[in-house]
Amino acid sequence: MTGQQAAALLSMVGGHRIHYEQLPLEQLQQQSEDLAAMFEWLDRVGYHADILTLRNNYLGVGWQNFETWARHQDWDFVKAPSWPATAAEPVTPQP
């Protein structure tokens, strides 16, 4: 699943538009070489898993896809403002 696909699905199930924006690797490198290397690897190689074999080998796991997981989350925190109205107000972490 791409970042855009994940954002679209989360927007649909959460009821609020989530915008996906991929940062250029050069910008990430300015923040962290390790972070940039990780995202470069994810773009080039990514994660791969044999889902059918995993499901057959581990029958006791309650397997679900991303959409099913997302539909069972509490998305009310998305409605809360992420920044205070003024810079003087303290930021209260959301649970």
Side-chain angles (χ1 to χ4, degrees), residues 2-20:
T2 68
Q4 288 183 346
Q5 290 168 329
L9 189 138
L10 293 174
S11 295
M12 179 182 69
V13 301
H16 298 279
R17 185 170 176 343
I18 296 174
H19 173 76
Y20 170 79

Side-chain angles (χ1 to χ4, degrees), residues 7-93:
L9 189 138
L10 293 174
S11 295
M12 179 182 69
V13 301
H16 298 279
R17 185 170 176 343
I18 296 174
H19 173 76
Y20 170 79
E21 183 174 336
Q22 184 171 343
L23 298 175
L25 284 177
E26 297 79 23
Q27 185 175 348
L28 289 174
Q29 285 172 332
Q30 293 173 1
Q31 299 291 321
S32 166
E33 287 288 332
D34 289 339
L35 188 63
M38 179 187 73
F39 278 105
E40 188 276 329
W41 180 84
L42 287 169
D43 282 346
R44 186 173 37 82
V45 178
Y47 288 105
H48 303 282
D50 183 346
I51 302 298
L52 291 177
T53 298
L54 287 170
R55 287 183 179 194
N56 285 328
N57 289 345
Y58 301 95
L59 300 174
V61 174
W63 297 101
Q64 56 188 338
N65 62 27
F66 185 62
E67 181 176 354
T68 302
W69 169 85
R71 289 187 180 280
H72 289 90
Q73 302 307 304
D74 179 4
W75 296 106
D76 286 343
F77 75 92
V78 177
K79 297 174 189 170
S82 58
W83 297 102
T86 67
E89 293 181 33
V91 175
T92 304

